[in-house]
Amino acid sequence: MPQINKTRPHSVVPGPSLTPLRAAITAFFALDGFIFAGWVVRIPDIKHQTHASAGALGLALLGVSAGAVLTMTLTGRLCRRYGSHPVTVVCMVVLALSVALPPLTHSAPALGAVLLLFGAGYGGVNVAFNSAAVDLVAALRKPVMPSFHAAFSLGGMVGAGLGGLAAGVLSPTRHLLGLTVTGLLVTAVAGRTLLRQAPPVPPERTPTRAAGTARQPAARGLVVVLGLVALCTAYGEGAMADWGALHLQQDLAASAGTAAAGYACFALAMTVGRLTGSTLLARFGRARTVIAGGTVATAGMLLGSLAPSVGAALTGFAVTGLGLANLFPVAVERAGALAGPSGVAVASTLGYGGMLLGPPAIGFMADWFSLPTALTSVAALAAVAAVIGVSTRGALGR
């Protein structure tokens, strides 16, 4: 297997000196969620500004997805060549600069073009900082990967909250320019730590990777399987974001405010689950965490989609968030440990594909059957993740 960041020297630094590096990587995760959420809350304003129909806007928004998917594999190669730390900084600069561009467009095609760049920055930085986090987790010898993803979730919640407040007083141009300034300032501070410190890798990882060359096909297959776990998780996240509120309002006669609380319950529970994820992984290991998480999410989504009352559905959404919380972090961390940045890129690409697949798949199934029935597909894929956890228990390890 190719070494991670092979062109740069690696060393294991004593635990305390890794604290600034962990803080810097955490800041990039939080900033990523903050910028993305800030953009999302201004989509209605951008739609009005560009005079785009719903269909034209949907095609333009595919630019984010296309840019991300096209960039992820390339970013894995760049991380191997130049190191995950400088690539993280560069991609975050691209993301921060590009978020200011949508308000400058006045047509759906122009919006789609700038969103390709935004998606490229978003996809690239996700692969790069996950690769950096994988290196740090290995050096710390502690299962802290969920804490980074918790920072992303918290950043998203803050970004959405502040974005909602800003929408009433600031134009999209000023608001998103503010995100650019914030992103560049945080990158300047946190990026200094990343650029000064080489990614730490335990000495034993190098011979293990070299000795594992003969097992490359099996390792690649396992990375793809882990990517499927990420896909199952992201499918649920995408479905909950786009269809959860509609289910509550349309099928359970919830008020608009209560319906909006549905995704909030899910997102808050996922954040809490990730904040406690390191403790769960340290106590139960990866395999048990994936199996339990998939099982809990299955039960929660069956309740959320089929419950006859709003209260029970909200409870089900929260339970689903707790169950799904740590599946993606575990899948990405293990894929990175097996195949370096390439593994992170594969798992991230499949996971992002799941987020793309979820909303339209739910829509088609809702047309064919009903929305509650369509939402049970989230439970089905969570069950698939649990089954994968059982079947790969030995490979997942502790």
Side-chain angles (χ1 to χ4, degrees):
M1 286 256 175
Q3 266 183 293
I4 297 180
N5 307 315
K6 61 183 179 182
T7 59
R8 301 188 67 183
H10 293 87
S11 59
V12 178
V13 189
S17 65
L18 292 178
T19 301
L21 182 57
R22 181 177 178 182
I25 295 174
T26 300
F28 275 104
F29 271 84
L31 179 61
D32 185 49
F34 179 80
I35 290 177
F36 191 79
W39 145 248
V40 166
V41 300
R42 301 314 295 254
I43 289 177
D45 295 315
I46 301 300
K47 178 181 183 298
H48 177 73
Q49 172 185 303
T50 57
H51 306 288
S53 66
L57 178 65
L59 288 174
L61 292 176
L62 280 177
V64 179
S65 308
V69 170
L70 290 173
T71 307
M72 283 178 167
T73 301
L74 174 63
T75 305
R77 296 173 185 170
L78 292 175
C79 287
R80 287 201 308 274
R81 183 169 182 178
Y82 299 107
S84 58
H85 289 185
V87 175
T88 296
V89 174
V90 170
C91 289
M92 185 56 82
V93 169
V94 172
L95 180 67
L97 291 174
S98 61
V99 76
L101 299 179
L104 305 181
T105 62
H106 298 283
S107 68
L111 177 62
V114 301
L115 289 181
L116 273 172
L117 181 61
F118 180 75
Y122 182 73
V125 79
N126 271 268
V127 171
F129 63 39
N130 270 296
S131 297
V134 167
D135 287 343
L136 183 59
V137 169
L140 290 172
R141 296 185 176 89
K142 295 178 181 178
V144 297
M145 194 69 171
S147 68
F148 297 116
H149 288 263
F152 173 84
S153 298
L154 286 170
M157 293 175 68
V158 172
L162 291 180
L165 294 175
V169 295
L170 293 177
S171 67
T173 302
R174 291 183 177 181
H175 176 204
L176 297 186
L177 182 60
L179 294 184
T180 294
V181 173
T182 302
L184 292 177
L185 288 175
V186 173
T187 299
V189 175
R192 188 177 306 172
T193 300
L194 290 191
L195 294 177
R196 286 180 176 177
Q197 191 163 344
V201 175
E204 66 269 18
R205 180 182 282 190
T206 300
T208 299
R209 288 182 180 277
T213 302
R215 296 163 49 212
Q216 280 188 6
R220 290 195 191 109
L222 182 56
V223 166
V224 172
V225 170
L226 291 167
L228 292 178
V229 173
L231 184 152
C232 293
T233 305
Y235 178 98
E237 290 189 59
M240 289 299 302
D242 285 21
W243 293 102
L246 182 62
H247 167 58
L248 291 172
Q249 198 165 11
Q250 171 185 290
D251 301 311
L252 298 177
S255 66
T258 302
Y263 182 71
C265 288
F266 172 83
L268 181 60
M270 178 169 276
T271 303
V272 171
R274 286 176 170 173
L275 287 172
T276 59
S278 297
T279 302
L280 291 174
L281 286 169
R283 182 167 184 177
F284 300 110
R286 298 186 195 93
R288 289 181 180 177
T289 299
V290 170
I291 295 167
T295 302
V296 168
T298 300
M301 201 58 218
L302 287 175
L303 176 62
S305 58
L306 302 178
S309 68
V310 172
L314 290 175
T315 300
F317 288 178
V319 172
T320 303
L322 285 173
L324 293 179
N326 295 303
L327 301 190
F328 194 97
V330 168
V332 170
E333 184 272 328
R334 190 59 182 152
L338 287 167
S342 295
V344 174
V346 169
S348 298
T349 302
L350 285 171
Y352 202 82
M355 190 167 287
L356 296 179
L357 174 66
I362 296 289
F364 285 126
M365 286 186 283
D367 285 339
W368 295 334
F369 307 106
S370 67
L371 182 53
T373 301
L375 287 173
T376 61
S377 63
V378 175
L381 287 185
V384 169
V387 171
I388 291 175
V390 172
S391 61
T392 60
R393 184 177 299 182
L396 283 173
R398 288 197 59 83

